[in-house]
Amino acid sequence: MGELTVQGAKNAVLPVLAGTILNKGISIINNCPQIIDVKCMVKILTSVGCIVKWEGSTIIVDASNINNTMVPEEYVREMRSSIIMLGAMLAREKIVSISYPGGCSIGIRPIDIHLKAMKKLNVSIEEVNGFIECDATNMVGDTVTFEYPSVGATENIMLLSIFSEGITKINNPAKEPEIVELQNFLNSMGADINGAGTDQILIRGVSKLHDTEYTIMTDRIVAGTYMAATAITSGEVLLKGDIAQYTESIMDKFIEMGCILKKYKEGVLFKAPKRLTPVDKIVTRPYPGFPTDMQSQIMSALTVAEGTSVIVESVFEARYKNVDELTRMGANIYTSGNVAVIRGVKKLQGALVSARELRGGASLIIAGLAADGITIVENPHYILRGYEDIVRDLGSLGAKIYLKMTGDEFEEGKKR
Ligand code: EPZ
């Protein structure tokens, strides 16, 4: 039986780092995962004038002086979630220009919900040559209602409204734990936000924020990824961190698959059966539903279950890019639109496969752990965007796994 401490949450630390520019002073953020996306956010903060120091898993941001209100296009293209800089920059500098974030391999990723809510709050927005030019000088607090509980849009409006006159209400916000984390971080700096995790978030504008030190929560998706790795290899692992409270929907599915999970104060003890039981249906949904970010990983585990399972991906329109690669390993998966039917096979075969995006890439590693023979996963840099050191982590649990990146890929990954 192995044990592993799970890294800090990528999808919490990114909006928290954006929020550090709301304090014209020092913010100390602990338990930051050393991943490509966090390196990219650090570069963005530096590019607008922050002084950023990274000491182990602690990032220290001095945002006393911001000298640039343009978020560099190269970074927005590299990481579309940098759009959350928009709300924070507007709250601080009022005038901001940011390039339109492109789509990515899992979907077109529009930002209409973000922009509609900003306009309701009287932010003027012009889209010029692929850039979004915003002016929040006349912004007022008001009520915005999301047609879809967008995580990024919820974060953007929370950040945008920190200093605004009056009260801003967000109806139908995202309820993800990372939203609650952002509320708690901002309130630790003196903001006045309530309701994160519920159907309405309420932000009372304040005049300024102060220095803070904050520790980021455990990454529930990385924890779920390692549960899937343990499940497919009939293993037993103690996953350490504040995991249980945010992974109910994930754990419920693994229990349905025949796994035994025991919750402790310091984490979750996960024990898999010899062979997994299939699940009737997994439908990905906004929190507290089954997370879309775990869909690829649990699909890999289901490829060797004793029967047929169905997955419905209801959040993103193109999140089955890993299916072709799993099929090359002998999986039996049929997809039609956003439905995938997975007929369990006895054994997968090792093969040369390609990662095309973060979670799909992780799913190929999971499949390779249980396959006969060697599996080579190309483009590992996609996986390093969200996993601090999946090779170290799985290796410590007994996996025979090695990272070999071409010089350029490694340089590229390191540089970011
Ligand atoms: C966040 O992305 C996460 N990223 C994603 O994790 C996660 O999959 C997603 O939330 C859903 O939980 C970060 O937190 C950095 P959304 P985000 O806005 O904010 C549509 C990972 O693997 N939509 O909730 O982009 C959109 O197209 C990444 O860690 C609009 O139509 O997600 C999508 O279909 C992948 N208009 C759905 O909503 C908008 O204005 C969910 O998007 C905004 C979103």
Side-chain angles (χ1 to χ4, degrees), residues 10-11 14-15 80-81 106 108-114 148-153 155 176 220 292-293 315-317 319 358-359:
K10 166 176 91 79
N11 293 349
L14 293 175
R80 61 173 315 285
S81 51
I106 60 175
I108 49 171
R109 315 283 294 269
I111 57 169
D112 54 309
I113 299 172
H114 299 242
Y148 179 90
S150 157
V151 170
E155 292 162 348
E176 272 68 6
R220 60 192 171 98
T292 175
D293 292 349
V315 176
F316 287 106
E317 65 272 26
R319 211 162 195 177
L358 168 56
R359 306 302 175 185

PDB file of all heavy atoms in Angstrom, residues 10-11 14-15 80-81 106 108-114 148-153 155 176 220 292-293 315-317 319 358-359, ligand 1:
ATOM      1  N   LYS A  10      -4.598  23.545  -8.901  1.00  0.00           N
ATOM      2  CA  LYS A  10      -4.331  24.434 -10.044  1.00  0.00           C
ATOM      3  C   LYS A  10      -5.477  25.437 -10.212  1.00  0.00           C
ATOM      4  O   LYS A  10      -5.243  26.639 -10.342  1.00  0.00           O
ATOM      5  CB  LYS A  10      -4.195  23.612 -11.321  1.00  0.00           C
ATOM      6  CG  LYS A  10      -4.262  24.418 -12.625  1.00  0.00           C
ATOM      7  CD  LYS A  10      -4.019  23.570 -13.844  1.00  0.00           C
ATOM      8  CE  LYS A  10      -5.262  22.999 -14.415  1.00  0.00           C
ATOM      9  NZ  LYS A  10      -6.084  23.916 -15.239  1.00  0.00           N
ATOM     10  N   ASN A  11      -6.718  24.952 -10.178  1.00  0.00           N
ATOM     11  CA  ASN A  11      -7.852  25.817 -10.507  1.00  0.00           C
ATOM     12  C   ASN A  11      -8.282  26.709  -9.353  1.00  0.00           C
ATOM     13  O   ASN A  11      -9.214  27.506  -9.505  1.00  0.00           O
ATOM     14  CB  ASN A  11      -9.018  24.977 -11.039  1.00  0.00           C
ATOM     15  CG  ASN A  11      -8.663  24.350 -12.389  1.00  0.00           C
ATOM     16  OD1 ASN A  11      -7.639  24.707 -12.994  1.00  0.00           O
ATOM     17  ND2 ASN A  11      -9.454  23.407 -12.847  1.00  0.00           N
ATOM     18  N   LEU A  14      -4.767  29.677  -9.642  1.00  0.00           N
ATOM     19  CA  LEU A  14      -4.760  30.616 -10.771  1.00  0.00           C
ATOM     20  C   LEU A  14      -5.625  31.852 -10.486  1.00  0.00           C
ATOM     21  O   LEU A  14      -5.121  32.984 -10.590  1.00  0.00           O
ATOM     22  CB  LEU A  14      -5.179  29.909 -12.063  1.00  0.00           C
ATOM     23  CG  LEU A  14      -4.197  28.851 -12.572  1.00  0.00           C
ATOM     24  CD1 LEU A  14      -4.752  28.121 -13.799  1.00  0.00           C
ATOM     25  CD2 LEU A  14      -2.832  29.439 -12.883  1.00  0.00           C
ATOM     26  N   PRO A  15      -6.897  31.709 -10.083  1.00  0.00           N
ATOM     27  CA  PRO A  15      -7.665  32.925  -9.764  1.00  0.00           C
ATOM     28  C   PRO A  15      -7.135  33.648  -8.529  1.00  0.00           C
ATOM     29  O   PRO A  15      -7.178  34.878  -8.452  1.00  0.00           O
ATOM     30  CB  PRO A  15      -9.088  32.415  -9.525  1.00  0.00           C
ATOM     31  CG  PRO A  15      -8.984  30.955  -9.292  1.00  0.00           C
ATOM     32  CD  PRO A  15      -7.759  30.496 -10.002  1.00  0.00           C
ATOM     33  N   ARG A  80      -5.689  30.079 -21.819  1.00  0.00           N
ATOM     34  CA  ARG A  80      -6.908  30.855 -21.980  1.00  0.00           C
ATOM     35  C   ARG A  80      -7.492  31.282 -20.633  1.00  0.00           C
ATOM     36  O   ARG A  80      -8.191  32.273 -20.530  1.00  0.00           O
ATOM     37  CB  ARG A  80      -7.938  30.104 -22.787  1.00  0.00           C
ATOM     38  CG  ARG A  80      -8.375  28.812 -22.169  1.00  0.00           C
ATOM     39  CD  ARG A  80      -9.512  28.220 -22.942  1.00  0.00           C
ATOM     40  NE  ARG A  80     -10.509  29.200 -23.271  1.00  0.00           N
ATOM     41  CZ  ARG A  80     -11.391  29.722 -22.418  1.00  0.00           C
ATOM     42  NH1 ARG A  80     -11.332  29.379 -21.166  1.00  0.00           N
ATOM     43  NH2 ARG A  80     -12.279  30.597 -22.822  1.00  0.00           N
ATOM     44  N   SER A  81      -7.167  30.540 -19.563  1.00  0.00           N
ATOM     45  CA  SER A  81      -7.771  30.913 -18.269  1.00  0.00           C
ATOM     46  C   SER A  81      -7.174  32.201 -17.736  1.00  0.00           C
ATOM     47  O   SER A  81      -7.599  32.707 -16.712  1.00  0.00           O
ATOM     48  CB  SER A  81      -7.592  29.780 -17.258  1.00  0.00           C
ATOM     49  OG  SER A  81      -6.247  29.394 -17.233  1.00  0.00           O
ATOM     50  N   ILE A 106     -10.468  21.249 -26.124  1.00  0.00           N
ATOM     51  CA  ILE A 106     -11.671  20.596 -25.577  1.00  0.00           C
ATOM     52  C   ILE A 106     -12.930  21.384 -25.918  1.00  0.00           C
ATOM     53  O   ILE A 106     -14.037  20.999 -25.550  1.00  0.00           O
ATOM     54  CB  ILE A 106     -11.569  20.388 -24.048  1.00  0.00           C
ATOM     55  CG1 ILE A 106     -11.395  21.710 -23.307  1.00  0.00           C
ATOM     56  CG2 ILE A 106     -10.448  19.427 -23.709  1.00  0.00           C
ATOM     57  CD1 ILE A 106     -11.414  21.563 -21.787  1.00  0.00           C
ATOM     58  N   ILE A 108     -14.701  25.370 -27.893  1.00  0.00           N
ATOM     59  CA  ILE A 108     -14.467  26.729 -28.409  1.00  0.00           C
ATOM     60  C   ILE A 108     -14.293  27.721 -27.264  1.00  0.00           C
ATOM     61  O   ILE A 108     -13.699  28.754 -27.409  1.00  0.00           O
ATOM     62  CB  ILE A 108     -15.628  27.201 -29.329  1.00  0.00           C
ATOM     63  CG1 ILE A 108     -16.988  26.966 -28.664  1.00  0.00           C
ATOM     64  CG2 ILE A 108     -15.560  26.517 -30.674  1.00  0.00           C
ATOM     65  CD1 ILE A 108     -18.152  27.589 -29.397  1.00  0.00           C
ATOM     66  N   ARG A 109     -14.776  27.383 -26.092  1.00  0.00           N
ATOM     67  CA  ARG A 109     -14.540  28.168 -24.869  1.00  0.00           C
ATOM     68  C   ARG A 109     -14.883  29.657 -25.050  1.00  0.00           C
ATOM     69  O   ARG A 109     -14.038  30.528 -24.936  1.00  0.00           O
ATOM     70  CB  ARG A 109     -13.097  28.021 -24.395  1.00  0.00           C
ATOM     71  CG  ARG A 109     -12.515  26.623 -24.392  1.00  0.00           C
ATOM     72  CD  ARG A 109     -12.962  25.742 -23.242  1.00  0.00           C
ATOM     73  NE  ARG A 109     -12.537  26.142 -21.930  1.00  0.00           N
ATOM     74  CZ  ARG A 109     -11.413  25.731 -21.330  1.00  0.00           C
ATOM     75  NH1 ARG A 109     -10.582  24.989 -21.978  1.00  0.00           N
ATOM     76  NH2 ARG A 109     -11.133  26.114 -20.100  1.00  0.00           N
ATOM     77  N   PRO A 110     -16.108  30.027 -25.379  1.00  0.00           N
ATOM     78  CA  PRO A 110     -16.484  31.446 -25.524  1.00  0.00           C
ATOM     79  C   PRO A 110     -16.422  32.165 -24.176  1.00  0.00           C
ATOM     80  O   PRO A 110     -16.287  31.527 -23.126  1.00  0.00           O
ATOM     81  CB  PRO A 110     -17.910  31.376 -26.024  1.00  0.00           C
ATOM     82  CG  PRO A 110     -18.433  30.089 -25.542  1.00  0.00           C
ATOM     83  CD  PRO A 110     -17.273  29.140 -25.550  1.00  0.00           C
ATOM     84  N   ILE A 111     -16.504  33.502 -24.220  1.00  0.00           N
ATOM     85  CA  ILE A 111     -16.535  34.274 -22.960  1.00  0.00           C
ATOM     86  C   ILE A 111     -17.744  35.205 -22.940  1.00  0.00           C
ATOM     87  O   ILE A 111     -17.746  36.240 -22.274  1.00  0.00           O
ATOM     88  CB  ILE A 111     -15.227  35.078 -22.759  1.00  0.00           C
ATOM     89  CG1 ILE A 111     -14.965  36.020 -23.951  1.00  0.00           C
ATOM     90  CG2 ILE A 111     -14.033  34.172 -22.504  1.00  0.00           C
ATOM     91  CD1 ILE A 111     -13.851  37.022 -23.687  1.00  0.00           C
ATOM     92  N   ASP A 112     -18.805  34.814 -23.654  1.00  0.00           N
ATOM     93  CA  ASP A 112     -20.004  35.661 -23.721  1.00  0.00           C
ATOM     94  C   ASP A 112     -20.622  35.915 -22.347  1.00  0.00           C
ATOM     95  O   ASP A 112     -21.099  37.026 -22.069  1.00  0.00           O
ATOM     96  CB  ASP A 112     -21.038  35.038 -24.661  1.00  0.00           C
ATOM     97  CG  ASP A 112     -21.363  33.600 -24.282  1.00  0.00           C
ATOM     98  OD1 ASP A 112     -20.424  32.803 -24.111  1.00  0.00           O
ATOM     99  OD2 ASP A 112     -22.550  33.292 -24.103  1.00  0.00           O
ATOM    100  N   ILE A 113     -20.585  34.920 -21.474  1.00  0.00           N
ATOM    101  CA  ILE A 113     -21.194  35.094 -20.142  1.00  0.00           C
ATOM    102  C   ILE A 113     -20.400  36.132 -19.351  1.00  0.00           C
ATOM    103  O   ILE A 113     -20.964  37.003 -18.685  1.00  0.00           O
ATOM    104  CB  ILE A 113     -21.264  33.745 -19.387  1.00  0.00           C
ATOM    105  CG1 ILE A 113     -22.135  32.743 -20.170  1.00  0.00           C
ATOM    106  CG2 ILE A 113     -21.804  33.929 -17.969  1.00  0.00           C
ATOM    107  CD1 ILE A 113     -22.131  31.331 -19.617  1.00  0.00           C
ATOM    108  N   HIS A 114     -19.057  36.079 -19.491  1.00  0.00           N
ATOM    109  CA  HIS A 114     -18.208  37.077 -18.822  1.00  0.00           C
ATOM    110  C   HIS A 114     -18.606  38.484 -19.287  1.00  0.00           C
ATOM    111  O   HIS A 114     -18.867  39.374 -18.481  1.00  0.00           O
ATOM    112  CB  HIS A 114     -16.729  36.890 -19.205  1.00  0.00           C
ATOM    113  CG  HIS A 114     -16.108  35.590 -18.845  1.00  0.00           C
ATOM    114  ND1 HIS A 114     -15.041  35.472 -17.989  1.00  0.00           N
ATOM    115  CD2 HIS A 114     -16.366  34.326 -19.261  1.00  0.00           C
ATOM    116  CE1 HIS A 114     -14.675  34.209 -17.888  1.00  0.00           C
ATOM    117  NE2 HIS A 114     -15.466  33.489 -18.654  1.00  0.00           N
ATOM    118  N   TYR A 148     -25.511  30.201 -17.469  1.00  0.00           N
ATOM    119  CA  TYR A 148     -24.816  28.933 -17.191  1.00  0.00           C
ATOM    120  C   TYR A 148     -23.814  29.218 -16.073  1.00  0.00           C
ATOM    121  O   TYR A 148     -23.155  30.270 -16.091  1.00  0.00           O
ATOM    122  CB  TYR A 148     -24.096  28.414 -18.445  1.00  0.00           C
ATOM    123  CG  TYR A 148     -23.344  27.119 -18.190  1.00  0.00           C
ATOM    124  CD1 TYR A 148     -23.950  25.879 -18.366  1.00  0.00           C
ATOM    125  CD2 TYR A 148     -22.028  27.145 -17.713  1.00  0.00           C
ATOM    126  CE1 TYR A 148     -23.279  24.704 -18.089  1.00  0.00           C
ATOM    127  CE2 TYR A 148     -21.344  25.973 -17.435  1.00  0.00           C
ATOM    128  CZ  TYR A 148     -21.969  24.757 -17.618  1.00  0.00           C
ATOM    129  OH  TYR A 148     -21.306  23.587 -17.339  1.00  0.00           O
ATOM    130  N   PRO A 149     -23.660  28.349 -15.092  1.00  0.00           N
ATOM    131  CA  PRO A 149     -22.765  28.635 -13.957  1.00  0.00           C
ATOM    132  C   PRO A 149     -21.292  28.504 -14.363  1.00  0.00           C
ATOM    133  O   PRO A 149     -20.595  27.570 -13.951  1.00  0.00           O
ATOM    134  CB  PRO A 149     -23.166  27.588 -12.918  1.00  0.00           C
ATOM    135  CG  PRO A 149     -23.692  26.446 -13.707  1.00  0.00           C
ATOM    136  CD  PRO A 149     -24.347  27.037 -14.926  1.00  0.00           C
ATOM    137  N   SER A 150     -20.824  29.469 -15.151  1.00  0.00           N
ATOM    138  CA  SER A 150     -19.433  29.458 -15.632  1.00  0.00           C
ATOM    139  C   SER A 150     -18.448  29.734 -14.490  1.00  0.00           C
ATOM    140  O   SER A 150     -18.569  30.748 -13.781  1.00  0.00           O
ATOM    141  CB  SER A 150     -19.266  30.544 -16.706  1.00  0.00           C
ATOM    142  OG  SER A 150     -17.921  30.927 -16.824  1.00  0.00           O
ATOM    143  N   VAL A 151     -17.444  28.853 -14.352  1.00  0.00           N
ATOM    144  CA  VAL A 151     -16.429  29.022 -13.306  1.00  0.00           C
ATOM    145  C   VAL A 151     -15.649  30.311 -13.542  1.00  0.00           C
ATOM    146  O   VAL A 151     -15.552  31.176 -12.673  1.00  0.00           O
ATOM    147  CB  VAL A 151     -15.482  27.799 -13.289  1.00  0.00           C
ATOM    148  CG1 VAL A 151     -14.270  28.033 -12.398  1.00  0.00           C
ATOM    149  CG2 VAL A 151     -16.238  26.543 -12.856  1.00  0.00           C
ATOM    150  N   GLY A 152     -15.107  30.466 -14.735  1.00  0.00           N
ATOM    151  CA  GLY A 152     -14.279  31.636 -15.039  1.00  0.00           C
ATOM    152  C   GLY A 152     -15.056  32.936 -14.933  1.00  0.00           C
ATOM    153  O   GLY A 152     -14.551  33.929 -14.404  1.00  0.00           O
ATOM    154  N   ALA A 153     -16.302  32.922 -15.407  1.00  0.00           N
ATOM    155  CA  ALA A 153     -17.097  34.153 -15.352  1.00  0.00           C
ATOM    156  C   ALA A 153     -17.411  34.518 -13.893  1.00  0.00           C
ATOM    157  O   ALA A 153     -17.364  35.697 -13.521  1.00  0.00           O
ATOM    158  CB  ALA A 153     -18.393  33.975 -16.144  1.00  0.00           C
ATOM    159  N   GLU A 155     -15.547  33.863 -11.294  1.00  0.00           N
ATOM    160  CA  GLU A 155     -14.290  34.403 -10.737  1.00  0.00           C
ATOM    161  C   GLU A 155     -14.027  35.814 -11.236  1.00  0.00           C
ATOM    162  O   GLU A 155     -13.678  36.713 -10.459  1.00  0.00           O
ATOM    163  CB  GLU A 155     -13.126  33.475 -11.090  1.00  0.00           C
ATOM    164  CG  GLU A 155     -13.211  32.133 -10.387  1.00  0.00           C
ATOM    165  CD  GLU A 155     -12.353  31.051 -11.016  1.00  0.00           C
ATOM    166  OE1 GLU A 155     -11.833  31.225 -12.140  1.00  0.00           O
ATOM    167  OE2 GLU A 155     -12.199  30.000 -10.354  1.00  0.00           O
ATOM    168  N   GLU A 176     -18.203  25.633  -7.553  1.00  0.00           N
ATOM    169  CA  GLU A 176     -17.010  24.805  -7.347  1.00  0.00           C
ATOM    170  C   GLU A 176     -16.272  25.202  -6.066  1.00  0.00           C
ATOM    171  O   GLU A 176     -16.281  26.399  -5.688  1.00  0.00           O
ATOM    172  CB  GLU A 176     -16.082  24.925  -8.552  1.00  0.00           C
ATOM    173  CG  GLU A 176     -16.332  23.949  -9.696  1.00  0.00           C
ATOM    174  CD  GLU A 176     -17.662  24.170 -10.449  1.00  0.00           C
ATOM    175  OE1 GLU A 176     -18.369  25.152 -10.164  1.00  0.00           O
ATOM    176  OE2 GLU A 176     -17.973  23.339 -11.315  1.00  0.00           O
ATOM    177  N   ARG A 220      -8.448  18.584  -6.047  1.00  0.00           N
ATOM    178  CA  ARG A 220      -9.400  17.457  -6.029  1.00  0.00           C
ATOM    179  C   ARG A 220      -9.348  16.640  -7.316  1.00  0.00           C
ATOM    180  O   ARG A 220      -9.656  15.445  -7.322  1.00  0.00           O
ATOM    181  CB  ARG A 220     -10.826  17.971  -5.775  1.00  0.00           C
ATOM    182  CG  ARG A 220     -11.322  18.942  -6.826  1.00  0.00           C
ATOM    183  CD  ARG A 220     -12.602  19.638  -6.383  1.00  0.00           C
ATOM    184  NE  ARG A 220     -12.929  20.720  -7.323  1.00  0.00           N
ATOM    185  CZ  ARG A 220     -13.806  20.607  -8.315  1.00  0.00           C
ATOM    186  NH1 ARG A 220     -14.497  19.502  -8.472  1.00  0.00           N
ATOM    187  NH2 ARG A 220     -14.045  21.600  -9.151  1.00  0.00           N
ATOM    188  N   THR A 292     -16.274  17.445 -15.028  1.00  0.00           N
ATOM    189  CA  THR A 292     -15.788  17.169 -16.388  1.00  0.00           C
ATOM    190  C   THR A 292     -14.287  16.914 -16.385  1.00  0.00           C
ATOM    191  O   THR A 292     -13.790  16.126 -17.198  1.00  0.00           O
ATOM    192  CB  THR A 292     -16.117  18.346 -17.331  1.00  0.00           C
ATOM    193  OG1 THR A 292     -15.539  18.111 -18.614  1.00  0.00           O
ATOM    194  CG2 THR A 292     -15.616  19.672 -16.793  1.00  0.00           C
ATOM    195  N   ASP A 293     -13.557  17.522 -15.457  1.00  0.00           N
ATOM    196  CA  ASP A 293     -12.093  17.351 -15.436  1.00  0.00           C
ATOM    197  C   ASP A 293     -11.667  15.962 -14.993  1.00  0.00           C
ATOM    198  O   ASP A 293     -10.481  15.641 -15.045  1.00  0.00           O
ATOM    199  CB  ASP A 293     -11.444  18.394 -14.514  1.00  0.00           C
ATOM    200  CG  ASP A 293     -11.586  19.785 -15.072  1.00  0.00           C
ATOM    201  OD1 ASP A 293     -11.985  19.911 -16.247  1.00  0.00           O
ATOM    202  OD2 ASP A 293     -11.348  20.754 -14.330  1.00  0.00           O
ATOM    203  N   VAL A 315     -20.452  19.210 -20.314  1.00  0.00           N
ATOM    204  CA  VAL A 315     -19.883  20.538 -20.074  1.00  0.00           C
ATOM    205  C   VAL A 315     -19.140  21.064 -21.295  1.00  0.00           C
ATOM    206  O   VAL A 315     -19.355  22.188 -21.741  1.00  0.00           O
ATOM    207  CB  VAL A 315     -18.956  20.513 -18.839  1.00  0.00           C
ATOM    208  CG1 VAL A 315     -18.276  21.864 -18.650  1.00  0.00           C
ATOM    209  CG2 VAL A 315     -19.755  20.133 -17.595  1.00  0.00           C
ATOM    210  N   PHE A 316     -18.241  20.259 -21.860  1.00  0.00           N
ATOM    211  CA  PHE A 316     -17.482  20.694 -23.046  1.00  0.00           C
ATOM    212  C   PHE A 316     -17.908  19.883 -24.256  1.00  0.00           C
ATOM    213  O   PHE A 316     -18.319  18.735 -24.139  1.00  0.00           O
ATOM    214  CB  PHE A 316     -15.978  20.534 -22.799  1.00  0.00           C
ATOM    215  CG  PHE A 316     -15.428  21.552 -21.845  1.00  0.00           C
ATOM    216  CD1 PHE A 316     -15.086  21.195 -20.561  1.00  0.00           C
ATOM    217  CD2 PHE A 316     -15.298  22.882 -22.238  1.00  0.00           C
ATOM    218  CE1 PHE A 316     -14.612  22.142 -19.652  1.00  0.00           C
ATOM    219  CE2 PHE A 316     -14.817  23.837 -21.340  1.00  0.00           C
ATOM    220  CZ  PHE A 316     -14.477  23.461 -20.057  1.00  0.00           C
ATOM    221  N   GLU A 317     -17.745  20.514 -25.427  1.00  0.00           N
ATOM    222  CA  GLU A 317     -18.258  19.851 -26.638  1.00  0.00           C
ATOM    223  C   GLU A 317     -17.229  18.962 -27.320  1.00  0.00           C
ATOM    224  O   GLU A 317     -17.532  18.279 -28.265  1.00  0.00           O
ATOM    225  CB  GLU A 317     -18.784  20.890 -27.630  1.00  0.00           C
ATOM    226  CG  GLU A 317     -17.768  21.847 -28.225  1.00  0.00           C
ATOM    227  CD  GLU A 317     -17.566  23.096 -27.365  1.00  0.00           C
ATOM    228  OE1 GLU A 317     -17.796  23.030 -26.145  1.00  0.00           O
ATOM    229  OE2 GLU A 317     -17.165  24.119 -27.923  1.00  0.00           O
ATOM    230  N   ARG A 319     -14.535  16.740 -25.645  1.00  0.00           N
ATOM    231  CA  ARG A 319     -13.659  16.199 -24.617  1.00  0.00           C
ATOM    232  C   ARG A 319     -13.491  14.680 -24.745  1.00  0.00           C
ATOM    233  O   ARG A 319     -13.320  13.979 -23.751  1.00  0.00           O
ATOM    234  CB  ARG A 319     -14.167  16.587 -23.219  1.00  0.00           C
ATOM    235  CG  ARG A 319     -13.010  16.728 -22.260  1.00  0.00           C
ATOM    236  CD  ARG A 319     -13.284  17.491 -21.004  1.00  0.00           C
ATOM    237  NE  ARG A 319     -12.002  17.833 -20.391  1.00  0.00           N
ATOM    238  CZ  ARG A 319     -11.866  18.552 -19.288  1.00  0.00           C
ATOM    239  NH1 ARG A 319     -12.936  19.017 -18.672  1.00  0.00           N
ATOM    240  NH2 ARG A 319     -10.661  18.821 -18.801  1.00  0.00           N
ATOM    241  N   LEU A 358      -4.592  18.336 -21.428  1.00  0.00           N
ATOM    242  CA  LEU A 358      -4.184  17.985 -20.076  1.00  0.00           C
ATOM    243  C   LEU A 358      -4.827  16.709 -19.534  1.00  0.00           C
ATOM    244  O   LEU A 358      -4.134  15.722 -19.225  1.00  0.00           O
ATOM    245  CB  LEU A 358      -4.511  19.172 -19.152  1.00  0.00           C
ATOM    246  CG  LEU A 358      -4.455  18.986 -17.654  1.00  0.00           C
ATOM    247  CD1 LEU A 358      -3.094  18.473 -17.210  1.00  0.00           C
ATOM    248  CD2 LEU A 358      -4.811  20.288 -16.938  1.00  0.00           C
ATOM    249  N   ARG A 359      -6.122  16.643 -19.396  1.00  0.00           N
ATOM    250  CA  ARG A 359      -6.761  15.515 -18.705  1.00  0.00           C
ATOM    251  C   ARG A 359      -6.787  14.278 -19.606  1.00  0.00           C
ATOM    252  O   ARG A 359      -6.666  13.158 -19.102  1.00  0.00           O
ATOM    253  CB  ARG A 359      -8.168  15.875 -18.236  1.00  0.00           C
ATOM    254  CG  ARG A 359      -8.247  17.117 -17.381  1.00  0.00           C
ATOM    255  CD  ARG A 359      -7.407  17.062 -16.118  1.00  0.00           C
ATOM    256  NE  ARG A 359      -7.465  18.360 -15.434  1.00  0.00           N
ATOM    257  CZ  ARG A 359      -6.773  18.675 -14.351  1.00  0.00           C
ATOM    258  NH1 ARG A 359      -5.962  17.796 -13.825  1.00  0.00           N
ATOM    259  NH2 ARG A 359      -6.849  19.870 -13.807  1.00  0.00           N
TER     260      ARG A 359
HETATM  261  C1  EPZ B   1     -12.736  26.071 -15.521  1.00  0.00           C
HETATM  262  O1  EPZ B   1     -12.688  26.444 -16.894  1.00  0.00           O
HETATM  263  C2  EPZ B   1     -11.557  25.148 -15.291  1.00  0.00           C
HETATM  264  N1  EPZ B   1     -10.301  25.862 -15.560  1.00  0.00           N
HETATM  265  C3  EPZ B   1     -11.644  23.937 -16.223  1.00  0.00           C
HETATM  266  O2  EPZ B   1     -10.555  23.065 -15.907  1.00  0.00           O
HETATM  267  C4  EPZ B   1     -12.958  23.202 -15.921  1.00  0.00           C
HETATM  268  O3  EPZ B   1     -13.092  22.138 -16.822  1.00  0.00           O
HETATM  269  C5  EPZ B   1     -14.137  24.169 -16.076  1.00  0.00           C
HETATM  270  O4  EPZ B   1     -13.944  25.331 -15.229  1.00  0.00           O
HETATM  271  C6  EPZ B   1     -15.454  23.523 -15.692  1.00  0.00           C
HETATM  272  O5  EPZ B   1     -15.394  23.067 -14.372  1.00  0.00           O
HETATM  273  C7  EPZ B   1      -9.794  26.675 -14.589  1.00  0.00           C
HETATM  274  O6  EPZ B   1     -10.388  26.847 -13.523  1.00  0.00           O
HETATM  275  C8  EPZ B   1      -8.491  27.331 -14.891  1.00  0.00           C
HETATM  276  P1  EPZ B   1     -16.516  27.390 -17.581  1.00  0.00           P
HETATM  277  P2  EPZ B   1     -13.677  27.616 -17.450  1.00  0.00           P
HETATM  278  O7  EPZ B   1     -16.475  28.839 -17.865  1.00  0.00           O
HETATM  279  O8  EPZ B   1     -13.779  28.688 -16.452  1.00  0.00           O
HETATM  280  C9  EPZ B   1     -19.144  27.440 -21.535  1.00  0.00           C
HETATM  281  C10 EPZ B   1      -8.731  21.665 -16.325  1.00  0.00           C
HETATM  282  O9  EPZ B   1      -8.621  20.586 -16.929  1.00  0.00           O
HETATM  283  N2  EPZ B   1     -19.027  28.900 -21.422  1.00  0.00           N
HETATM  284  O10 EPZ B   1     -17.266  26.883 -16.389  1.00  0.00           O
HETATM  285  O11 EPZ B   1     -13.237  27.941 -18.820  1.00  0.00           O
HETATM  286  C11 EPZ B   1     -17.819  26.809 -21.940  1.00  0.00           C
HETATM  287  O12 EPZ B   1     -17.666  26.848 -23.352  1.00  0.00           O
HETATM  288  C12 EPZ B   1      -9.575  22.780 -16.916  1.00  0.00           C
HETATM  289  O13 EPZ B   1      -8.201  21.927 -15.218  1.00  0.00           O
HETATM  290  C13 EPZ B   1     -19.748  29.693 -22.293  1.00  0.00           C
HETATM  291  O14 EPZ B   1     -20.486  29.204 -23.139  1.00  0.00           O
HETATM  292  O15 EPZ B   1     -15.054  26.796 -17.516  1.00  0.00           O
HETATM  293  C14 EPZ B   1     -17.940  25.420 -21.410  1.00  0.00           C
HETATM  294  O16 EPZ B   1     -18.662  24.635 -22.356  1.00  0.00           O
HETATM  295  C15 EPZ B   1     -10.191  22.394 -18.262  1.00  0.00           C
HETATM  296  N3  EPZ B   1     -19.620  31.047 -22.206  1.00  0.00           N
HETATM  297  C16 EPZ B   1     -18.764  25.586 -20.135  1.00  0.00           C
HETATM  298  O17 EPZ B   1     -19.415  26.861 -20.245  1.00  0.00           O
HETATM  299  C17 EPZ B   1     -18.791  31.641 -21.262  1.00  0.00           C
HETATM  300  O18 EPZ B   1     -18.725  32.888 -21.223  1.00  0.00           O
HETATM  301  C18 EPZ B   1     -17.927  25.574 -18.858  1.00  0.00           C
HETATM  302  O19 EPZ B   1     -17.055  26.666 -18.914  1.00  0.00           O
HETATM  303  C19 EPZ B   1     -18.059  30.812 -20.402  1.00  0.00           C
HETATM  304  C20 EPZ B   1     -18.181  29.443 -20.482  1.00  0.00           C
END
